[in-house]
Amino acid sequence: MQYRRFGKTNLNLSVFSLGTMRYLASEENAYETVYRAIGLGINHLETARGYGDSEQYLGAALKSGLPLSRHQLYITSKILPTPDRDAMAWSIDQSLETLGIDYLDCLAIHGLNTWEHLAWVENSQGCMEAVQQAVAEGKIRHIGFSTHAPLEVILRAIATEHFEFVNLHYYFFNQRNAPAVELAYEKDMGIFIISPSDKGGMLYTPPEILTEFCQPFSPLELNYRFLLSDRRITTLSLGAANPTELDLPLRVADQAHPLTPEELTSFEHLQTHQKTVLATDRCSQCYACLPCPEEINIPEVLRLRNLAVAYNMTGYGQYRYRMFENAGHWFPGRKGDCCTNCGECLPRCPERLDIPKLLRDTHDRLNGEPKRRLWG
């Protein structure tokens, strides 16, 4: 296991962190998973008040005795933003009580996803007043935020100087947040990548064509290496539901060196194949098409189409596409069939894509039963 400095927090975190959202079975399963993760070198455990019984299960694991003492373990919990100072203070105390600990190494504002959420944070008498009071009382040591927001909101949140770290989406197959990674690094913030195996493409169950183009590596391995080779990034979330799910990802936990020529060649093959297959229908993800009067998240819809057509990542595309209109600010935007052919996006597109046609095609490929986030 490799370890890296978590930005200005100066915490030395393992390059993989155990995310505990998927503790669905029992306290026993949680304990076994945490115990094995620590045995494999993980020293950072992440939970949230919104993750069902996660805090309770993690608290029980901590009380049962683990291979590392409390001061050798780093624990992060996340709490939703609120305009209410007292509500935030109560939530902090509840997290500490449920976990059975005296302090959090890190508290993240959970889901700082909208301009309204950001306004609550920037209000000096809102939730951040309670957070700062908790810091003064020794209940919290470091403050950050997690986000599923548009890039512009993330950049503004980083620029507030309120935070020491950020949890965000950034993967080989979705590099939209690259400017946020760079700005956070410039400000010496710790950078925590959310769910690289799942949100990064469901790479634990890759389609055959994707596997072929990644040879001699697996798609999961290549995505992990894309992130681990980036020295700006501190740690990657690993959301194991049981001890055995730790084994495959942690095979690369000591491979934090720069990308090799062979790995770079695999990435080039992937990019070349996508351009060739999609040809003049490829969305370059410039975001110039927005805003859409029907609130369709055009770039994200077409990104999912890119992946489905080029690499047969249809299962992943369906998983994400079916969350539109069903996950609120966690995955905003309407589906492609909401297009009214108004044509406002067409002159903005530098690729001259027939966007209404591609939106309908994506809907036909990926729509089905709606999906929700694991925790509502």
Side-chain angles (χ1 to χ4, degrees), residues 9 15 35 72 84 112 117 159 174 200 219 221 234-237 240 252 255 285 293 314 326:
T9 72
V15 294
Y35 191 96
Q72 294 173 303
D84 188 329
L112 208 167
H117 294 161
N174 186 359
E221 180 183 5
T234 308
T235 188
L236 316 180
S237 175
V252 297
Q255 298 179 31
Q285 297 289 284
T314 303
N326 202 43

Side-chain angles (χ1 to χ4, degrees), residues 254-272:
D254 62 346
Q255 298 179 31
H257 50 271
L259 293 172
T260 66
E262 197 171 23
E263 290 168 337
L264 289 169
T265 297
S266 292
F267 285 125
E268 290 169 5
H269 285 167
L270 287 167
Q271 293 169 330
T272 300

Side-chain angles (χ1 to χ4, degrees), residues 35-275:
Y35 191 96
R36 178 156 174 75
I38 293 172
L40 292 169
I42 290 176
N43 68 356
H44 180 218
L45 311 175
E46 185 221 28
T47 183
R49 284 200 58 72
Y51 288 173
D53 294 325
S54 174
E55 285 189 335
Q56 175 187 330
Y57 287 176
L58 179 54
L62 294 171
K63 292 172 188 174
S64 297
L66 294 169
L68 292 180
S69 63
R70 173 66 184 94
H71 76 275
Q72 294 173 303
L73 272 177
Y74 302 116
I75 298 174
T76 293
S77 194
K78 306 192 294 290
I79 297 176
L80 295 170
T82 172
D84 188 329
R85 178 199 182 284
D86 293 338
M88 175 59 76
W90 181 86
S91 292
I92 292 169
D93 288 341
Q94 287 298 300
S95 282
L96 293 172
E97 181 178 343
T98 305
L99 287 163
I101 57 179
D102 297 326
Y103 67 92
L104 287 168
D105 297 280
C106 298
L107 172 74
I109 304 300
H110 189 192
L112 208 167
N113 296 339
T114 69
W115 290 111
E116 181 181 37
H117 294 161
L118 187 56
W120 295 345
V121 165
E122 292 184 303
N123 177 1
S124 61
Q125 296 183 337
C127 61
M128 293 303 289
E129 183 180 12
V131 172
Q132 294 293 348
Q133 181 62 34
V135 171
E137 294 172 357
K139 297 177 180 179
I140 296 168
R141 296 192 171 176
H142 304 285
I143 307 166
F145 71 98
S146 72
T147 183
H148 298 233
L151 175 61
E152 296 74 17
V153 175
I154 301 174
L155 293 174
R156 174 58 190 167
I158 292 171
T160 64
E161 307 284 353
H162 286 319
F163 304 108
E164 298 170 89
F165 65 91
V166 57
N167 305 1
L168 80 172
H169 298 280
Y170 175 69
Y171 323 110
F172 175 72
F173 289 118
N174 186 359
Q175 299 180 39
R176 170 64 176 168
N177 287 335
V181 171
E182 179 59 26
L183 182 60
Y185 178 73
E186 290 174 0
K187 291 187 174 295
D188 195 27
M189 293 174 64
I191 299 173
F192 181 120
I193 301 300
I194 299 170
S195 190
S197 66
D198 185 61
K199 305 299 192 301
M202 284 176 58
L203 300 178
Y204 42 82
T205 54
E208 184 176 350
I209 187 173
L210 180 61
T211 300
E212 290 174 0
F213 274 96
C214 290
Q215 291 297 329
F217 312 99
S218 72
L220 184 62
E221 180 183 5
L222 268 185
N223 190 50
Y224 282 144
R225 285 286 297 123
F226 172 78
L227 297 168
L228 290 172
S229 66
D230 189 336
R231 299 297 299 185
R232 300 172 302 177
I233 293 168
T234 308
T235 188
L236 316 180
S237 175
L238 174 50
N242 57 65
T244 61
E245 290 188 2
L246 294 163
D247 295 340
L248 180 60
L250 294 187
R251 290 178 188 173
V252 297
D254 62 346
Q255 298 179 31
H257 50 271
L259 293 172
T260 66
E262 197 171 23
E263 290 168 337
L264 289 169
T265 297
S266 292
F267 285 125
E268 290 169 5
H269 285 167
L270 287 167
Q271 293 169 330
T272 300
H273 177 74
Q274 185 185 106
K275 291 177 181 177

